[in-house]
Amino acid sequence: MTILITGATGNLGRLIIASLIERGADPQSIIAGARDVAKGADLGVPVVHLDYTDPASVEAALRGVDSVVLVSGSEVGQRVAQHRAVIDAAKAAGVSKLVYTSAPKATTSDLVLAPEHKATEELIAASGIPAVILRNNWYTENYAADLVRAADTGVLAAGVGDGRVASASRKDFADAAAVVALEDGHIGEVYELGGDVAWNYGELAAAISEVTGRPVEYRPLTAEEQSAALEAAGLDAGTVGFVVALDAGIRGGALADTDGTLARLIGRPTTPLVDGLRAAA
């Protein structure tokens, strides 16, 4: 069985490949799809050119492939078209399993990122390809930049209020993708995946303080205060609106749910917040 990983040279794609190999997959049966093939030279598996914006490259990469792990694209606003290229090619190639890394409660969430994932899930359903949906919560590594800033200023400022985040390390989510890619019995499942503990930003500040050795204070911001701070930092209006909307979603609980599904899939507890931050520092 051949398994193709899209976005294979990205942070998550690399970890999925490593996890597949750790779980006994033959490296020669794993195909890394990458926009820049040279960047995959160190992966230890065959690498093929796969550019989401070049359907011909996607079609060629998927030819003869049994399973695909579709790692969602990182270009907000372009994801649906990019994902459609992979889904169409997977259907044409007769792929027997497609694993997609989606967003929490993608079909019902108010999170600003959700609509593109909802549209992608709908495309997958319409294609008829046997699929597994992994609705990944936040990666703890997303807070690496906040850790650096807080280490310098002693302040963690955000517009999330008391909203909680059930984050886990990328390695945890990568292990889940490897498990469902290799095992039978997951077709048709939609897994809501999150860390074992949902934390708030006061707890995040405390964790950053533990990692950096400097007292860190969480400073809640109103939407207006956050917008002004982001504009003062030089961000354009579109980015400011996106960040403010993202924090509003977190404030409303979009990332708060956790039921242990991720830990059950990977057969171990998820990485604690402090450990994840320390590894990302």
Side-chain angles (χ1 to χ4, degrees), residues 127-175:
S127 75
I129 301 169
V132 188
I133 305 299
L134 303 180
R135 291 179 173 170
N136 291 353
N137 206 300
W138 248 222
Y139 305 136
T140 299
E141 290 86 348
N142 290 353
Y143 296 94
D146 293 288
L147 186 149
V148 171
R149 281 192 295 270
D152 182 50
T153 66
V155 174
L156 172 69
V160 299
D162 292 324
R164 290 186 173 271
V165 179
S167 76
S169 291
R170 277 197 188 93
K171 177 68 163 63
D172 300 333
F173 293 109
D175 284 348

Side-chain angles (χ1 to χ4, degrees), residues 156 160-165 198-205 218 273:
L156 172 69
V160 299
D162 292 324
R164 290 186 173 271
V165 179
W199 44 262
N200 63 28
Y201 271 56
E203 292 162 331
L204 175 60
Y218 168 47
L273 176 61

Side-chain angles (χ1 to χ4, degrees), residues 28-99:
Q28 293 306 304
S29 72
I30 302 168
I31 302 171
R35 183 178 298 179
D36 184 346
V37 173
K39 290 183 178 179
D42 62 338
L43 290 171
V45 301
V47 185
V48 298
H49 177 57
L50 190 158
D51 184 340
Y52 289 136
T53 65
D54 178 5
S57 77
V58 179
E59 181 181 348
L62 268 68
R63 198 170 295 131
V65 167
D66 298 304
S67 298
V68 174
V69 178
L70 172 53
V71 176
S72 58
S74 59
E75 296 171 282
V76 177
Q78 302 180 45
R79 286 170 165 158
V80 178
Q82 293 175 350
H83 297 164
R84 181 185 287 111
V86 177
I87 295 163
D88 288 348
K91 182 175 183 179
V95 164
S96 60
K97 182 191 290 186
L98 188 150
V99 179

